Structures are given as C-alpha cells and as structure tokens.
Amino acid sequence: MITYQPSRAPAYVALALLGLALAAGFLPVLRMGLEQGLSGLDPYVFRVLRFTLLQAGLSTLLSLALGLPLACALARQASFPGRALLLRLLNLPLALPAIVVIIGVIEVYGAKGWLGGIFDIYGLQGILLAHVFFNVPLAARLILSDLERIPAESWKLSAQLGLRPLAIWRLVEWPAIRSGIAGAALLIFLLCASSFAVVLTLGGGPSATTLEVAIYQSLRSDFDPQRAAMLALVQLALCATLALVAQAWGGLGASWPALRLQPKRHDGHSTTARLVDGGIVLLALLLLLPPLAALIGAGVLHINPSALLLQALLTSLGLGAASAALAFAIVWPLAVLAVRSGTWRKIASIAVLTAWIVPPAALATGWFIILIAHAGVSGLAAFLVIAMNALMSLPFVARVLMPALSHSAEAHDRLCISLGLSGWNRFHLVELPVSKRAIGLSLIMALMLSLGDLTAISLFGTQGFVTLPALIYRQMGSYRFDEAIGTALVLSALVLAFSTLAERWSDQR
C-alpha cells in the first residue's frame, strides 16, 4: 500500500534550529560549571535552592488543598446558576500575565491596599499568595477534567447501592483522579520552581530568591556569569527531572479546554451538601475576585495614553506575532511527520518540550555568555526575546496542531497521493483550508504567551526596548504604581481579547 511521505527536509531544519539554540544555551553553562567544579556550589547556591524548593512545595500543597475541594464541589453541583461563568473565571488566572495579577494582589493586600496591609505582601507569604491565585484554578480545572470523565454508569451504580459521600469518594472519585492529582502536583511544582515574575516583584530581597531570579540578578545586576552558570546547572537538573516526570504522568501542555457532555450525578443534592459546596465556591471567589476587581477599578482611572505606552504596546504585539510565527514554523514540519510515524512522534514530543526541560533562565545564561564574549546583547535583544518566547510556546502549539493534522492525514492522504499533491501545493490547497482554525488557535495561544512574558525581556531588554510587562515592572520600580496599574489593565484587556477569540475558535466544530 502506497502511503504519503512528506518531505523531511523542513523537519531537519526545525531540529537543527532547536539543537543550535539548546547547544548555545547549554554548552557554555556546562563548560563554565565544570571549570568551577564543586567549589561553585557555595552556601548561597544551596540557600537559593532550598528556598526554591520550599516555596514551590508549599505553593503546590496549598494549591491542591484548595483546588481539590473546589473541583469536587463543581463536579457535584453541575447545574447551579452561574456555574458556566465561574468556570470562565477559573480560566482568567491561566490567561492573564503574571505581572498583571501581581498588580491586583498588591492593590488588595499591599500596605496601602483594600485590606490595609493585614500582612507583609513581600517575602514568602506574598509569593505563596500569588502562586495560590494562579494555581488553584489550574489544579481545579485539571482535577475537574478527570472527574467529568467518570462514566455515567459509575454514578448510576453508586446511586443504586446507596453509597454515602465518603464511600463515593473512596470507591468512585479517588480512583479516577489519583494519577491526575500526581501529574497536577508535579506540573504546579515545576511552574512554581521556575517562577520568575512573582518572585522578582514579591520576593522582598536575598532571603526570598529562587534560582530563576538569582540567575537574572547574577547576569544583569552583579554581572557574574560564573555564578549564573552554576545556578543555571542546578536549575537545569531540577527542571529537567521535574519536566520529564510530569510528562510521564501526563501533566504538561494541556490543550485548550474542550466542551463535553457531563454525566448525571445522583449525589450532592442534600441541603448539607449544597451548603458545603456553596461555601467552597464562595471561598474560591473570595480568592479570585478581589485582585481582579481591584485591577479594573483602579486601572480604569490611571490609564496614561502616552507615547511610551503606545511604543510598548506595538513592541509587544510585534514580538508576539514574530514569536508565534517562529513557533509555528518549527512545530508544523515536525507535526506533519509525527502524525504519520511513531519514531517522529517521539522525536517531536521531546523537541517541543525543550523549553520545559531547559528552563528559560538557564538557556539565557548560555546565550548571554556567548554574546558578551563575541557580539554583545543589545543589538540582538529583539531576536533573543522572540526566540525564547517561541521555545516556551512550542508544547502548546503542538497540542493544537497535531490533532488537526492527524485528522487531515486520515481524510486526505489517499486523495493527495492520487492527485500528486505534496509540499507547498498540498499545504495551501488542502492543509490550510482544513486546519485554518487550528492554525489560528495555535498562533493566538503563542501570541498570548509572548504578550505576558517578563523573563526574556528582563534578561535581554534594554532601556529603549520595552514591552508592556517590562513597562509595568519599570513603573513599579520607580514608585509609579498608579501608572503601573493602568498599564496592567491595558495588557490584561489585550490578552483577554485574544483569549476570548481563542476560546470561540476552540469551541467551533
């Protein structure tokens, strides 16, 4: 039987680009780390590693402790008024840039915030609060997805047997979610361990610094590439281990939420159950709503339509569009082969995870060392930001494109062989019309990730090269918090506009 054989040349070019980026980031770090040997593992490195693990571990425990009961409450109460709106609200922290949410958190819990500074927002407690805000919705959505996959027959049987809530949890719910909880925990721990914007803005000093922020400080403040290299090696070992384990549990790169029919449950209808579940949902709203309301309320009054804001807006859009295009150009040829070959499927899976296995700060350290030694950073700042943002978005782009290309291969390979269509002709006559929704969704998701990036622009940005997240951080650093919250509202409105568009496209059949 004759099968369609796409050209492998574009995939080889994509792999070569990824290999070059990884080698340029990893090899200088490895060389400088080996030159230092064990002497580079000084008390400062261990102190930063301990705090990284501490805040990530506590953030993960708190996020699961709040996200698990919220997911169970939403699963039990499948038809209460406002449930669909609450689910959309749970998507907001996942879509909003970290720097935007931090502004809202400070506006509520800061010294001059709504609650009058009931505790010091800077330090471990502030980091935990921000991480919980981000990751409780993530944990709830992941666990809820597992709960909604429980077959309707299981609920019918539990109702016929008259199982009480504890028995339902032990015999029905827990077996369905225990592996998902492990994957969610690993994913949240990985995200918190590599957190940058939250720790940079709320860390409060050397005693509350993670590996990612310590690398940034070593490169940009202390200009100490040797220490940055050792920190990068430690972070690389940590994040690579976590990323590979999390991927084995299925915890990485979740696709855009899809609609599904929910099975009818027969529990949770008693007054007590409704009150308990309502209280859990209310607590979640008290966590999520105040920072968002503070951002909107204060931001509307402090938007400053200056030339600098316009410049940052246009720069963010330009970098985001370029990053999305680069990510698409890398993923597409790999996906074309992956949906037709088991070997290429494994190669593509590893390739698109490079930015998770090699964290951004570690990658940037190697690029920084090479460029400082040979060319300098400032002239290549835009390219470096585009490249790093593209790498970070590869798993998300792949998760959108691969199912669409798999469907296209099943439906059109024989026809294309009979018509002699291949290469560019097949792309613009067949793949583009059939996969345009998936292509558009993947580009929007990559654009959204780039719009909220603070890591790459902080490492490679210059005084005249500013994006919206970088402008917010500069305004906060110069004590212009009112302007910062106005800029944050502009950024959040931009991201939510693209998020709404992406959600509508993902819902279309």
Side-chain angles (χ1 to χ4, degrees):
M1 178 180 176
I2 300 175
T3 58
Y4 179 71
Q5 298 293 334
S7 172
R8 297 183 178 182
Y12 289 141
V13 173
L15 290 176
L17 290 175
L18 287 173
L20 179 62
L22 288 176
F26 177 71
L27 294 180
V29 169
L30 180 62
R31 177 185 61 80
M32 193 167 285
L34 292 176
E35 288 176 354
Q36 297 177 75
L38 295 179
S39 62
L41 296 172
D42 56 22
Y44 173 76
V45 174
F46 284 109
R47 186 169 72 249
V48 171
L49 176 60
R50 282 196 301 271
F51 184 80
T52 300
L53 297 176
L54 173 65
Q55 61 84 25
L58 291 176
S59 297
T60 302
L61 289 175
L62 290 172
S63 299
L64 290 176
L66 297 173
L68 176 58
L70 177 58
C72 292
L74 291 173
R76 278 191 297 268
Q77 309 301 331
S79 59
F80 69 87
R83 185 180 186 275
L85 181 61
L86 178 59
L87 291 178
R88 291 176 65 89
L89 181 63
L90 290 179
N91 285 334
L92 284 181
L94 308 180
L96 288 174
I99 191 68
V100 169
V101 173
I102 291 165
I103 291 284
V105 169
I106 294 174
E107 184 70 11
V108 174
Y109 300 101
K112 298 181 180 179
W114 287 6
L115 300 181
I118 57 175
F119 59 87
D120 187 3
I121 193 65
Y122 297 100
L124 178 60
Q125 56 272 23
I127 293 172
L128 294 179
L129 178 62
H131 281 165
V132 166
F133 179 92
F134 281 114
N135 294 315
V136 165
L138 175 61
R141 288 307 300 254
L142 292 174
I143 297 170
L144 179 61
S145 178
D146 289 334
L147 289 171
E148 291 179 343
R149 280 195 287 266
I150 296 176
E153 291 76 12
S154 297
W155 298 118
K156 291 180 181 178
L157 181 60
S158 68
Q160 292 170 354
L161 295 175
L163 297 182
R164 301 189 62 81
L166 185 59
I168 290 176
W169 164 257
R170 181 170 57 88
L171 298 175
V172 180
E173 292 180 318
W174 175 246
I177 66 174
R178 58 187 174 188
S179 62
I181 288 179
L186 283 167
L187 175 58
I188 292 171
F189 190 95
L190 173 63
L191 294 174
C192 294
S194 58
S195 176
F196 180 77
V198 170
V199 181
L200 182 65
T201 52
L202 299 178
S207 62
T209 298
T210 58
L211 290 166
E212 192 103 357
V213 174
I215 292 170
Y216 163 77
Q217 292 170 341
S218 297
L219 292 175
R220 296 304 300 258
S221 301
D222 305 331
F223 198 74
D224 188 351
Q226 289 188 328
R227 169 160 285 178
M230 183 55 66
L231 290 165
L233 280 179
V234 174
Q235 191 194 30
L236 176 62
L238 174 64
C239 289
T241 302
L242 291 173
L244 293 175
V245 173
Q247 179 66 6
W249 281 96
L252 286 180
S255 59
W256 201 265
L259 297 177
R260 60 171 61 92
L261 294 176
Q262 291 180 243
K264 183 180 179 180
R265 294 184 57 159
H266 304 276
D267 60 332
H269 299 310
S270 68
T271 301
T272 301
R274 291 180 184 274
L275 288 175
V276 171
D277 291 340
I280 293 171
V281 171
L282 179 61
L283 287 176
L285 291 174
L286 290 176
L287 172 67
L288 296 175
L289 286 180
L292 298 176
L295 175 66
I296 296 172
V300 170
L301 301 176
H302 295 104
I303 296 177
N304 180 20
S306 63
L308 184 58
L309 177 62
L310 178 60
Q311 176 190 346
L313 174 62
L314 294 177
T315 301
S316 293
L317 288 173
L319 293 176
S323 299
L326 179 58
F328 175 81
I330 291 174
V331 170
W332 181 272
L334 295 175
V336 167
L337 294 174
V339 299
R340 296 176 173 88
S341 166
T343 300
W344 275 99
R345 188 177 300 113
K346 294 178 181 178
I347 294 174
S349 297
I350 296 173
V352 299
L353 280 175
T354 52
W356 293 80
I357 297 173
V358 183
L363 199 64
T365 302
W367 295 358
F368 195 96
I369 292 170
I370 289 178
L371 293 173
I372 286 297
H374 297 92
V377 174
S378 58
L380 297 173
F383 174 77
L384 295 172
V385 171
I386 291 169
M388 183 170 290
N389 287 337
L391 290 176
M392 292 300 296
S393 63
L394 292 182
F396 302 95
V397 174
R399 269 304 182 95
V400 176
L401 288 181
M402 285 188 180
L405 285 176
S406 178
H407 175 74
S408 176
E410 293 176 0
H412 302 108
D413 272 5
R414 289 185 180 181
L415 178 62
C416 289
I417 292 173
S418 64
L419 295 177
L421 288 177
S422 62
W424 170 252
N425 288 331
R426 169 162 179 156
F427 175 76
H428 83 273
L429 292 176
V430 178
E431 307 287 14
L432 187 58
V434 171
S435 307
K436 61 182 178 182
R437 295 196 196 284
I439 293 172
L441 178 59
S442 67
L443 292 174
I444 290 175
M445 291 179 69
L447 173 60
M448 287 169 54
L449 289 171
S450 179
L451 287 174
D453 168 72
L454 185 61
T455 305
I457 194 66
S458 295
L459 288 165
F460 299 119
T462 60
Q463 188 63 32
F465 179 52
V466 61
T467 61
L468 287 173
L471 178 59
I472 294 169
Y473 183 66
R474 290 184 189 181
Q475 290 169 338
M476 293 175 64
S478 58
Y479 302 101
R480 293 179 292 155
F481 191 78
D482 288 344
E483 292 185 25
I485 199 168
T487 306
L489 183 59
V490 172
L491 175 58
S492 61
L494 184 65
V495 170
L496 290 178
F498 284 113
S499 175
T500 301
L501 179 60
E503 186 174 351
R504 289 181 178 178
W505 279 9
S506 66
D507 285 345
Q508 292 178 354
R509 296 290 182 265

